[in-house]
Amino acid sequence: MTQQDTTTRAPGGTTGAADQVFQVETHGIDPIPDEERHGSAKDLFWLWFGSNLTFTYVINGALAVAFGLSFWQATGVVVLGGLSFFAISAAGLSGVRTGTATLVISRAPFGVRGNWPAGMLNWVVSIGYTILNTVVGTLALEAFFADTGVGSGRTVRALALLITLALTFAVALWGHATVQFAERWIAYVLAVGFAALLVFLLPGADTAGAAVSPGASGWSLAFVVMLAGPFSYVPMPADYTRYLPRATSLRSLTWYGALGGFVSSVALGIAGVAAATQTDMTDAVAGTERLLPGWFQTLFLALVLGGSVTNSIVTLYSSSLNLQVLGVPWSRSKAIVISAGVTAAGALCALFLTDITSSLLSFLSLLIIVFAPWGGVFLTDMLMRRCHYDGPALHAGPDGAYWYRSGFHPAGAAALLAGMVFAALTCDSELWTGPLVAPLGGADLTLLGSLVSGLVYWVLARRTVAPHADPS
């Protein structure tokens, strides 16, 4: 059974009527009608800029130095990682063309049923990272309360968790317009704070220090860490472009979204690199605090909280669309309650019962074995179709063109499997080390699974996959 469009359209058909700030969005994965399309590509700059003003990139930059890279080597990797947002942003054109979410569009390369396993895993990943961000934000807010004299202890931690969850859930529940509004205005504040952070960290950076040769292992691990963040967005870009008018150009869409993600991720990544050349960043928050003037340390904790919330809003919102793709017969606003409930339960467990954050992060990092190849197939299919899909068929189930063989697209399944096998053989993580890692000198080539799967898909599907001819 395919999840049909169960959400309610706004009455009247006025422009953007179903997508108003501080009103619950009525659309879900159903195609957005042309008369309700609104906004411009400029909106994407603030969405991707705000959602990537997260302390995670500071940690990633510090890890690059920990892997043996010098300041300039690590900075180069940070910049190259940021450039990947051009591919992520360009993928949003599929949302403009179809008016629906990314994980609906991915039925085209994988089939309606073949798309389900990756959809389930993506929901797990989205919720997993939302839990981690919630835990980080809660701990930062707890420390903020302690610094400002509010107090400490389990009651204060519970209050901090409640506030963090409320900030995230309220915005995501209201929906698309409120998400974009919040990301823009929170970004204004966070940008000033993180700019100050850079001013404090950069002058003391050891830019002349010679690094121990990182070798294949150090270089590859640094690239995996830097690219994993942008790659995690591959199942999401159309979620935030589906309301844009069909006339939105690929060039403007790509540039605005890419610059947003690039500027924030690179700036914070370089901050992490600079910090790691000066102090121990094993505990990245504590390590960064040591390098800051006393008066700024409390504000720094507020920045960590804000960054956690902006990132969680995006992942939590997309998770509600994800649940509709998986067949949950509820509106988007009701489905998000499931995601919020699981997030709250996971954060409660991590903060009050047993610390699962390290294990959860290791597990989520391992799932790149699936999502790098998945992204390779999806992006290759998108290029082959030039983002021209049979929109109604994406929602038609067995009667549509994307049902293929019993709901599975053989070419997509074979390509995904090939990429996953390659990624598993060359993965170097805490939970799994592939048998080819040692012969490759310790190099982790997991991300190349995307190239393998994309190439295999092109070979298998090049004679059958083509742009859909729009009837006009």
Side-chain angles (χ1 to χ4, degrees):
M1 293 289 292
T2 314
Q3 167 64 31
Q4 295 293 329
D5 306 328
T6 58
T7 53
T8 304
R9 291 186 180 179
T14 57
T15 302
D19 190 38
Q20 298 290 333
V21 177
F22 302 132
Q23 294 182 20
V24 176
E25 177 190 5
T26 58
H27 284 295
I29 62 171
D30 53 311
I32 308 301
D34 286 346
E35 63 270 19
E36 295 183 18
R37 302 288 191 96
H38 63 96
S40 69
K42 294 179 181 178
D43 298 329
L44 298 176
F45 174 85
W46 294 108
L47 175 84
W48 292 113
F49 180 73
S51 61
N52 286 284
L53 283 172
T54 171
F55 192 72
T56 300
Y57 289 106
V58 176
I59 297 173
N60 291 347
L63 283 173
V65 175
F67 293 145
L69 276 66
S70 68
F71 176 89
W72 292 112
Q73 289 171 335
T75 297
V77 173
V78 168
V79 171
L80 290 174
L83 290 174
S84 63
F85 276 102
F86 279 88
I88 304 303
S89 188
L93 183 61
S94 59
V96 175
R97 293 273 172 81
T98 63
T100 192
T102 304
L103 282 169
V104 175
I105 301 166
S106 61
R107 290 169 175 169
F110 296 105
V112 175
R113 287 177 171 168
N115 189 54
W116 199 93
M120 187 67 223
L121 282 176
N122 182 69
W123 182 80
V124 171
V125 170
S126 296
I127 296 304
Y129 280 115
T130 305
I131 291 172
L132 291 173
N133 275 323
T134 300
V135 170
V136 171
T138 298
L139 294 175
L141 184 54
E142 180 186 16
F144 178 88
F145 284 152
D147 285 357
T148 54
V150 174
S152 59
R154 294 175 68 87
T155 301
V156 172
R157 176 173 290 191
L159 175 62
L161 173 60
L162 182 63
I163 293 173
T164 305
L165 286 171
L167 289 172
T168 305
F169 176 69
V171 174
L173 174 67
W174 273 316
H176 175 266
T178 310
V179 167
Q180 288 196 319
F181 176 85
E183 292 291 346
R184 175 191 289 263
W185 286 98
I186 297 175
Y188 290 158
V189 178
L190 293 181
V192 174
F194 279 119
L197 181 71
L198 268 173
V199 170
F200 292 131
L201 295 180
L202 280 178
D206 181 8
T207 59
V212 177
S213 177
S217 176
W219 280 109
S220 63
L221 287 172
F223 273 110
V224 167
V225 165
M226 294 302 170
L227 291 170
F231 237 92
S232 68
Y233 291 118
V234 173
M236 298 183 192
D239 301 2
Y240 303 99
T241 59
R242 70 194 204 282
Y243 278 94
L244 292 177
R246 291 183 188 272
T248 304
S249 72
L250 173 61
R251 176 177 294 181
S252 62
L253 179 148
T254 300
W255 273 96
Y256 278 115
L259 285 176
F262 177 85
V263 171
S264 51
S265 66
V266 169
L268 296 187
I270 292 174
V273 172
T277 65
Q278 304 173 65
T279 189
D280 179 13
M281 290 286 283
T282 304
D283 181 337
V285 173
T288 304
E289 273 193 291
R290 286 194 292 269
L291 301 174
L292 302 175
W295 64 268
F296 189 76
Q297 291 178 4
T298 301
L299 294 176
F300 166 68
L301 294 172
L303 292 177
V304 175
L305 168 65
S308 298
V309 169
T310 58
N311 194 260
S312 291
I313 287 171
V314 170
T315 55
L316 190 62
Y317 174 78
S318 286
S319 75
S320 64
L321 300 176
N322 198 156
L323 286 173
Q324 286 193 311
V325 174
L326 293 175
V328 174
W330 293 352
S331 67
R332 182 208 59 82
S333 58
K334 291 181 179 178
I336 203 171
V337 175
I338 298 175
S339 296
V342 175
T343 298
L348 278 168
C349 178
L351 290 166
F352 293 97
L353 299 178
T354 180
D355 187 1
I356 61 170
T357 52
S358 179
S359 298
L360 181 59
L361 184 59
S362 296
F363 170 70
L364 293 173
S365 300
L366 185 63
L367 289 182
I368 196 171
I369 290 176
V370 176
F371 283 105
W374 185 92
V377 174
F378 175 75
L379 294 174
T380 301
D381 180 83
M382 187 186 72
L383 290 172
M384 294 171 71
R385 298 180 194 274
R386 299 176 188 173
C387 283
H388 287 285
Y389 300 87
D390 183 346
L394 291 170
H395 302 268
D399 298 325
Y402 303 124
W403 188 252
Y404 301 112
R405 297 182 185 176
S406 300
F408 294 86
H409 189 197
L416 178 62
L417 180 61
M420 287 174 59
V421 169
F422 178 89
L425 291 174
T426 59
C427 175
D428 183 14
S429 69
E430 290 185 19
L431 299 180
W432 167 259
T433 300
L436 295 184
V437 172
L440 289 169
D444 183 334
L445 304 182
T446 313
L447 289 172
L448 293 183
S450 61
L451 297 180
V452 171
S453 63
L455 179 60
V456 171
Y457 184 75
W458 178 80
V459 170
L460 296 177
R462 69 187 188 281
R463 297 183 181 180
T464 57
V465 170
H468 175 71
D470 296 322
S472 57

